[in-house]
Amino acid sequence: MTDGTEMETLSQATTRLSKAGYVENYTARDGHLACGKCGASYDPATVTIDEIVRFEGQSNPDDEAVAYAIDAGCGHRGLYVSAYGPDATADDIAVVAALPDARP
């Protein structure tokens, strides 16, 4: 959230997180997270999640997504964005299920 009362959009969140140093893109591949910069593949259970931002459209399921600010330990920090609900892919489901719980 930008000021505690208004929901951030996905583009606002990715811009904010990029300015905070989360500049790489992580993708789900064969149940692992792949770093877009170095190409390394990580077990999702071993990464550090620094922030989770969830997005919901008011009436469109296509607007349902989650952005994870990730430090995978390769020296690169970045974002993994996943759809959830009916639009989630099998790879996304496997990765999200294996991510550590980042809530306090």
Side-chain angles (χ1 to χ4, degrees), residues 41-98:
S41 183
Y42 299 92
D43 178 342
T46 66
V47 302
T48 300
I49 300 173
D50 296 326
E51 186 174 342
I52 300 173
V53 187
R54 181 176 166 170
F55 306 93
E56 293 182 4
Q58 291 194 8
S59 63
N60 186 350
D62 290 340
D63 294 338
E64 296 178 338
V66 180
Y68 299 90
I70 291 178
D71 183 336
C74 63
H76 303 127
R77 295 187 323 162
L79 300 174
Y80 167 58
V81 178
S82 171
Y84 64 90
D87 289 333
T89 67
D91 273 336
D92 285 327
I93 292 168
V95 165
V96 170

Side-chain angles (χ1 to χ4, degrees), residues 12-23 51 53 67-69 79:
Q12 289 170 330
T14 56
T15 298
R16 176 178 58 80
L17 291 166
S18 291
K19 288 178 181 177
Y22 297 91
V23 296
E51 186 174 342
V53 187
Y68 299 90
L79 300 174

